[in-house]
Amino acid sequence: MTTTLITGANKGIGHETARRLIAAGHTVYVGARDAERGRRAAEQLGARFVLLDVTDDATVEAAAKTIEADGGLDVLINNAGIETRGEGNGVPTAETVTADQMRNTFETNVFGVVRVTHAFLPLLQRSAAPVVVNVSSGLASLTHLSDPDHPAHFYPGIAYPTSKTALNMLTVQFAKAFPTMRINSVEPGFTKTDLNGNTGTQTVEQAAEIIVRMAQVAPDGPTGGYFDVNGRLPW
C-alpha cells in the first residue's frame, strides 16, 4: 500500500488529486491548516486528516510524527500554494510589488516546501519507492516568460512566478542530492480555483492529471524534471 501526503488538500486541485489517488489505491493524508475543513474533506474522500500549516514548524513536525507512527510515507505532494491578489483580482506588478508581499508568497511557496520536505525526508528515505511532487506553475518558466510569442509572457506579476521558479530550483537540487527518490516539478495548468479568483480556464480534474501521473512514477522514471500533461517543459 502506498501512503501519500498532500499539502493544501482540503479543496481545489489538492482535493481532486487526493480523490484520484485514493481511487488508485493510495492511503492518502489530507494536509490542511484549517482543522474543520480538513476533517470534512478527509471524511468526504475516505482519506486521513492531518493538521499541517506549511508556514508553521510545530504543525509540520507534529504531522511528521503522526504519519511516522502510522507506518511511514511513500509520496509527498507539495501542493499548498498562494498567489497574492488585490483589488479587482489584480496581482502585484513590478511597479507595485513590495518586499512584504514577496516574503509572504515565498513563506508558503518556497520556505513551506523546504520545511515540509525536510521534516518528511527521514520517512521518505525508508520507503522502497519514494516520490516527491512539487506543484509548480507554467509561470515558473524563464524561457516562456521571456518569449514574446508565448502567452505566459504577458503575465505581469512578480511574486508568484518568482516563487515558482525558486521551487523549480529546489526540485533540481533535491533530486541531485537524493538520486534514489523521484523528485519532480509539475505544471497543472491555468485552473479555476480560489488561488486565482476562479479565473482559470481548466477544471481541477484536468489539473490533477499530471500530479497524479507523477505521484505514481516508477523508481526508474524521471527525476529532477519539470513537466506538464504533454511532457517536459523548458526551465
Side-chain angles (χ1 to χ4, degrees), residues 3-18:
T3 300
T4 299
L5 166 64
I6 308 172
T7 64
N10 63 288
K11 62 180 180 178
I13 297 171
H15 187 277
E16 175 60 17
T17 300

Side-chain angles (χ1 to χ4, degrees), residues 101-122:
Q101 289 171 334
M102 292 290 292
R103 188 178 296 110
N104 184 57
T105 303
F106 267 63
E107 187 61 54
T108 295
N109 296 0
V110 182
F111 306 147
V113 171
V114 174
R115 182 177 287 110
V116 172
T117 303
H118 177 76
F120 284 92
L121 269 174

Side-chain angles (χ1 to χ4, degrees), residues 143-166:
T143 300
H144 285 166
L145 266 72
S146 60
D147 178 3
D149 293 325
H150 195 280
H153 176 77
F154 301 97
Y155 177 85
I158 300 294
Y160 183 75
T162 305
S163 73
K164 292 300 187 177
T165 301

